Amino acid sequence: MEKFEQIYQRAAERKGGENNLEAMLSKPLADSAILEITDDRWLSAFSQKVFQSGISWQVVRNKWPNFEVLFFQFRIEPLLLLPDEAWDDKANDKRIIRHHTKVKSIADNARMIHEVSEQHGSFSHFVLSWPKHNITGLWQYLKTHGARLGGNTGPYTLRQMGFDTFLLSGDVETYLRNYNIIDGGKGTKRALDAAEKAFCTWQEESNRSLTEISQVIAYSVGDNKR
């Protein structure tokens, strides 16, 4: 397996130097900032990513203010009180993207967040309490206990919200396969364990966040020269 410094130097060369590369890297939020994220914002973010799957991201963003209105700004308690027929009505509302199963996922994920918050105080407390060496376990939790949060949907949402996680984006997956770190399906436990082990090693070497490491790897391969 390559040392992280080798990966970093290749990415820097492709991006016109270390200063350019550093300017392109985003960093996770501090724990104190994540703790300020309320449950409704988590539900909104998960829901937006669910709708963006298979649909133009910009189309979903343009419609999102209507989603916020129709779903009570994604406040958990009012949504939990809605009867099934109300969800059916919302799924047919022309102000939003009409997709029945994706709309119903909002109800399922509201219940997941509510249950987590009952146990941990808030969804933010829950994600921050998750073991740092087992981020893929958090991905699996979202897939198993949430609705339509498997694949990259859950991890991308975590990253968007500022939580520190790597991503198995196309470029990162390509790198991991080219260097024989993973094989077979990328969502298998074997592949996820192997990927996480590699990222933990690179984190120990570099003292960088998983977010930064993931981006550096993506910039070191693929059709993203600059």
Side-chain angles (χ1 to χ4, degrees):
M1 190 172 80
E2 280 191 302
K3 295 291 186 181
F4 180 75
E5 182 61 23
Q6 294 174 274
I7 304 170
Y8 180 88
Q9 291 303 325
R10 185 167 61 250
E13 182 178 352
R14 288 164 62 88
K15 296 303 179 184
E18 292 186 12
N19 289 340
N20 286 348
L21 177 60
E22 290 294 336
M24 299 173 69
L25 300 180
S26 60
K27 301 183 189 311
L29 293 178
D31 287 359
S32 58
I34 291 179
L35 285 174
E36 294 179 0
I37 301 173
T38 53
D39 289 350
D40 58 286
R41 292 305 87 202
W42 281 106
L43 181 58
S44 177
F46 282 129
S47 302
Q48 188 175 82
K49 274 291 178 283
V50 166
F51 272 89
Q52 286 176 331
S53 179
I55 302 176
S56 164
W57 285 28
Q58 192 56 53
V59 168
V60 175
R61 288 193 188 102
N62 291 342
K63 290 271 191 179
W64 208 249
N66 294 338
F67 278 83
E68 291 281 349
V69 171
L70 191 62
F71 294 103
F72 314 125
Q73 291 74 48
F74 291 94
R75 289 179 289 125
I76 305 296
E77 289 76 11
L79 292 174
L80 293 179
L81 295 175
L82 288 177
D84 288 343
E85 56 268 24
W87 286 100
D88 292 334
D89 291 341
K90 289 181 181 298
N92 291 313
D93 195 301
K94 294 181 179 180
R95 291 174 293 175
I96 65 169
I97 297 166
R98 289 175 288 176
H99 192 298
H100 191 269
T101 57
K102 288 186 177 183
V103 167
K104 292 303 288 286
S105 77
I106 298 173
D108 294 334
N109 289 327
R111 283 190 287 272
M112 175 195 70
I113 292 173
H114 177 71
E115 290 170 3
V116 165
S117 294
E118 288 285 291
Q119 296 178 34
H120 297 271
S122 73
F123 195 82
S124 291
H125 275 98
F126 167 70
V127 297
L128 287 177
S129 68
W130 197 272
K132 303 299 184 186
H133 63 277
N134 184 29
I135 296 302
T136 58
L138 180 55
W139 298 0
Q140 187 63 38
Y141 184 95
L142 295 176
K143 176 181 178 180
T144 302
H145 295 273
R148 304 180 73 97
L149 298 181
N152 278 329
T153 304
Y156 268 101
T157 307
L158 293 171
R159 168 73 67 81
Q160 176 186 310
M161 297 299 280
F163 181 78
D164 189 25
T165 182
F166 65 90
L167 297 177
L168 291 182
S169 64
D171 285 336
V172 172
E173 181 185 355
T174 294
Y175 175 89
L176 296 176
R177 291 190 185 282
N178 287 347
Y179 285 85
N180 299 314
I181 294 171
I182 67 171
D183 55 22
K186 70 175 181 180
T188 64
K189 187 177 188 306
R190 176 184 173 186
L192 292 176
D193 287 349
E196 186 148 53
K197 181 178 179 181
F199 272 90
C200 287
T201 298
W202 290 321
Q203 189 168 43
E204 290 176 1
E205 292 175 1
S206 66
N207 200 31
R208 287 178 178 265
S209 65
L210 297 175
T211 298
E212 293 171 285
I213 294 168
S214 185
Q215 292 171 94
V216 169
I217 290 173
Y219 290 142
S220 75
V221 298
D223 187 21
N224 57 50
K225 287 188 179 180
R226 191 174 189 175

